[in-house]
Amino acid sequence: MTHKSKLLDRRQFLATSVSAATLLASPAILQAKKSDTIKIGMPTILSGVVSILGESSRAGAQLMIDEFNKNGGLNGRPLELITRDSRAKPEEAVKAVRDLVNGEGCKIIIDAEASSGSFAVQEAIRELGVLCLHTVSEATPLSADPKLRVPTAFRSARQGIHDAIGGGAYAAAISREKGLKRWATCSPDYAYGRTTTAEFMEFAKHFNGDIEVIGQVWPKLFQPDFTEVVTKLLQLKPDAMYSALWGGDLVSFVDQSNLYALFGQMEAFAVNLGDYPVLTAVENLPDGIRSGSRYNKKIPDTPENSDFYDRYVEKNKVLPTNWSWENATAMSFIIEALKDVGSADNPLKLAESIKGRKIKSPFGVDGTLTMRSEDNTLVGYAVGYGITTKKEPFMKDFQTTAWDQIFELETKWKKRKGYL
């Protein structure tokens, strides 16, 4: 089966499952008046080579909405998710947000855009004043830079600086063990790729001063051919390579790298590889590539996480992704805030309810997640690195980074950047 046909199958499954979910809503909810519905808008990428980002984001949020509606909604008022395809264009994402708020009457926005669009959406939210949760963007400045913050906007996604600290510590330890001093990088040429790569290498060198970066390549986002990129990496002859490529780009890179036996010639760290759709879409997954935590039913290895995996697969007939848990988490915070405030009419009250809130969650390393009050960003999720294997669960030897270490180094980093 080709990659395209696999993705097509996923889209078909999702379209079918979403329709089925609507039909299966509880009778009480179906009797609610149209005006009683609380509308939640989601701009995201639903077409093109990374449409799985939008599909799995929608599926993660919809799972939580359907379960909330099945239990009666907000005092009989159902939630409704309305999505718009931004086609991976920031201007389309902003247009979609305005239409969802002013045209559809959405009280809440779930921004499931990549970082290329989320910074533009943030400015639209600043003007519109509605509640917004960014659920996909991992570029650190979105929530770390105080000049960019908006009182009603939060991030329920992982944040690049957290993974960089965990990944840097892990990479430094492997470097000492194997003598990996000369490093190259290969990451997408936009905000997320540039910032997360710089942060990863900064902390790798922080933990091991012998590491040096001898070359960097920046492929364009969604480019189809990585031959030139692979050739450049081979010419550099590094001891190790870091990549922040993701989704279909990462699948293409790994497949094309296999043709040149790249992974046998250098140690590879690919932070976004450990996600089911990527792992299963690669034609011949190499053993031994080191990946950060994305979504895996064994990370954390708890009954609650396995239960989420089973519920998601049963409903959607596909495997969850990193974006699935991040959007499910956003809906968990929104639902708790709605129950607390009692309505969706006051975005400032909803924001006050979410700010600093701790919720029980299958994705937290201690069974909880917290929306940190000082910068409106999520903390407490699983951070660390493991090694790929060809068979389920596709990741082994996962090493979790302690959040005390992340908090300490993040604070020092923010002071160096002038954010504190």
Side-chain angles (χ1 to χ4, degrees):
M1 183 180 287
T2 66
H3 303 160
K4 288 184 177 179
S5 63
K6 286 181 178 179
L7 292 177
L8 181 61
D9 288 343
R10 281 193 282 269
R11 284 195 290 271
Q12 291 170 329
F13 270 125
L14 284 169
T16 302
S17 59
V18 168
S19 299
T22 302
L23 293 172
L24 291 171
S26 70
I29 291 295
L30 288 175
Q31 291 172 8
K33 296 178 182 178
K34 188 74 175 177
S35 59
D36 290 339
T37 300
I38 297 173
K39 297 180 179 180
I40 299 171
M42 174 187 281
T44 189
I45 304 170
L46 290 165
S47 58
V49 295
V50 294
S51 59
I52 192 172
L53 180 150
E55 292 163 352
S56 55
S57 294
R58 178 169 57 189
Q62 192 68 53
L63 176 67
M64 307 308 288
I65 287 174
D66 288 347
E67 292 178 353
F68 182 63
N69 286 345
K70 186 177 180 180
N71 290 317
L74 185 66
N75 301 319
R77 299 182 66 189
L79 307 184
E80 178 186 3
L81 185 66
I82 303 175
T83 57
R84 290 285 186 275
D85 183 8
S86 66
R87 299 181 294 160
K89 297 180 178 179
E91 65 274 19
E92 289 294 326
V94 171
K95 181 181 177 182
V97 168
R98 294 188 187 283
D99 176 62
L100 288 163
V101 173
N102 297 324
E104 293 287 354
C106 293
K107 303 287 189 181
I108 299 166
I109 293 294
I110 292 180
D111 169 37
E113 288 292 324
S115 296
S116 54
S118 284
F119 287 88
V121 169
Q122 179 84 330
E123 293 311 306
I125 296 300
R126 189 189 305 278
E127 175 189 331
L128 294 166
V130 298
L131 181 71
C132 172
L133 275 84
H134 301 286
T135 56
V136 171
S137 174
E138 300 179 23
T140 300
L142 183 66
S143 56
D145 186 345
K147 295 191 297 296
L148 298 179
R149 286 184 210 137
V150 174
T152 59
F154 299 83
R155 185 210 304 259
S156 68
R158 41 188 345 117
Q159 187 178 176
I161 189 64
H162 299 157
D163 277 322
I165 293 169
Y170 179 84
I174 300 299
S175 291
R176 285 197 184 89
E177 177 186 335
K178 296 195 170 190
L180 310 175
K181 297 181 179 180
R182 292 160 45 86
W183 281 65
T185 71
C186 173
S187 295
D189 188 14
Y190 76 115
Y192 165 73
R194 292 274 180 176
T195 58
T196 55
T197 298
E199 292 161 2
F200 177 91
M201 294 312 309
E202 177 181 346
F203 282 99
K205 289 189 281 189
H206 167 81
F207 290 107
N208 182 355
D210 292 335
I211 288 176
E212 63 171 327
V213 178
I214 62 169
Q216 296 184 290
V217 289
W218 304 101
K220 298 298 181 186
L221 198 60
F222 313 144
Q223 74 176 46
D225 188 351
F226 285 84
T227 302
E228 185 178 354
V229 172
V230 174
T231 302
K232 177 67 173 177
L233 288 169
L234 291 171
Q235 290 172 343
L236 288 169
K237 297 181 178 179
D239 299 322
M241 182 270 297
Y242 168 80
S243 178
L245 290 170
W246 56 277
D249 284 3
L250 182 55
V251 172
S252 298
F253 173 72
V254 174
D255 281 339
Q256 293 173 36
S257 294
N258 280 336
L259 299 176
Y260 295 86
L262 180 142
F263 298 110
Q265 300 179 53
M266 63 191 73
E267 199 81 21
F269 296 69
V271 63
N272 296 317
L273 182 59
D275 219 358
Y276 288 122
V278 178
L279 292 163
T280 55
V282 171
E283 292 286 355
N284 184 19
L285 178 68
D287 283 329
I289 297 180
R290 301 176 189 276
S291 175
S293 51
R294 310 307 291 172
Y295 178 78
N296 189 289
K297 67 180 297 185
K298 296 294 185 182
I299 306 171
D301 191 6
T302 62
E304 291 80 9
N305 192 21
S306 291
D307 179 61
F308 170 81
Y309 176 94
D310 292 341
R311 286 155 49 211
Y312 186 97
V313 172
E314 180 180 5
K315 176 177 171 55
N316 297 298
K317 313 306 180 192
V318 295
L319 298 175
T321 72
N322 188 59
W323 303 305
S324 303
W325 82 258
E326 291 173 330
N327 281 273
T329 295
M331 275 312 310
S332 295
F333 277 105
I334 291 169
I335 287 169
E336 291 304 312
L338 286 171
K339 291 192 292 187
D340 183 29
V341 175
S343 80
D345 295 334
N346 191 325
L348 288 176
K349 283 190 174 180
L350 290 173
E352 288 172 5
S353 178
I354 291 176
K355 199 175 188 69
R357 177 178 286 274
K358 178 181 287 191
I359 61 171
K360 291 183 178 179
S361 173
F363 318 117
V365 287
D366 67 350
T368 69
L369 290 172
T370 299
M371 189 62 75
R372 192 167 57 186
S373 59
E374 64 255 38
D375 55 2
N376 289 2
T377 201
L378 189 72
V379 297
Y381 53 88
V383 174
Y385 263 70
I387 303 173
T388 58
T389 64
K390 293 182 183 298
K391 297 180 180 178
E392 282 269 22
F394 300 115
M395 295 285 291
K396 67 175 184 179
D397 301 335
F398 191 82
Q399 297 182 24
T400 303
T401 306
W403 273 93
D404 286 346
Q405 182 181 43
I406 294 173
F407 290 145
E408 177 187 352
L409 292 174
E410 180 189 20
T411 299
K412 293 179 179 176
W413 178 85
K414 283 184 173 179
K415 289 180 178 177
R416 291 198 301 274
K417 299 289 286 185
Y419 293 158
L420 292 178

